Amino acid sequence: MGTKAVGSIAAVLLIGTGLSVVTAAPANAAGTCDYFYRSEDSRNRVGTFPGPSNCSLCQGNSNDAVKALQITLWKCYGQNISRDGVFGPNTKSALIHAQGEAGASTDGVFGPETFSKLKWAFFEGTEASCHRYGHG
């Protein structure tokens, strides 16, 4: 397989999050975030993030990437929203709130600027801590 080949599907179990499957895409893919990826911070806590890099999510999207975003909006920004993977008006309002707290443009669209400024939920068992990606 070439370096731009689609990666394999891997199962991921995150206690307390309900996220279950990672589907990889080409590294140079752009457009809608269509999967999530898993990362560990410096204390081995596990976080999930929409992917691929430079992707976006907006009202009307529905997938596991939206669910990863909703979990962070719930755990890190206190937004009482469904974690169902559907980007509806409540997710948009919650994202606008989080964007304002994080100092990002408050447009209700998830993209690279929002990704870099949001605090993300990292789990150790069922306990979550929130920090920016790469800063924990």
Side-chain angles (χ1 to χ4, degrees):
M1 293 179 98
T3 58
K4 293 184 181 178
V6 174
S8 63
I9 297 175
V12 177
L13 175 61
L14 298 175
I15 297 171
T17 65
L19 296 173
S20 59
V21 176
V22 175
T23 305
N28 63 349
T32 301
C33 304
D34 56 3
Y35 67 94
F36 71 91
Y37 62 95
R38 166 192 158 142
S39 180
E40 291 184 359
D41 68 8
S42 61
R43 293 180 51 199
N44 297 320
R45 296 171 294 198
V46 177
T48 57
F49 313 94
S53 60
N54 297 320
C55 65
S56 65
L57 291 169
C58 61
Q59 192 167 335
N61 292 134
S62 179
N63 57 36
D64 280 341
V66 174
K67 191 172 190 174
L69 175 62
Q70 289 170 328
I71 289 167
T72 279
L73 295 173
W74 170 58
K75 282 291 191 181
C76 299
Y77 293 93
Q79 299 300 293
N80 188 18
I81 58 172
S82 296
R83 279 87 57 205
D84 59 4
V86 177
F87 197 129
N90 293 336
T91 298
K92 182 176 181 177
S93 294
L95 179 58
I96 289 170
H97 170 83
Q99 287 172 322
E101 279 193 27
S105 299
T106 54
D107 57 6
V109 175
F110 174 85
E113 178 197 13
T114 299
F115 177 85
S116 69
K117 293 188 175 185
L118 284 185
K119 292 180 182 176
W120 291 92
F122 285 81
F123 288 88
E124 183 173 7
T126 58
E127 296 297 315
S129 61
C130 300
H131 56 80
R132 287 182 38 214
Y133 181 74
H135 293 89

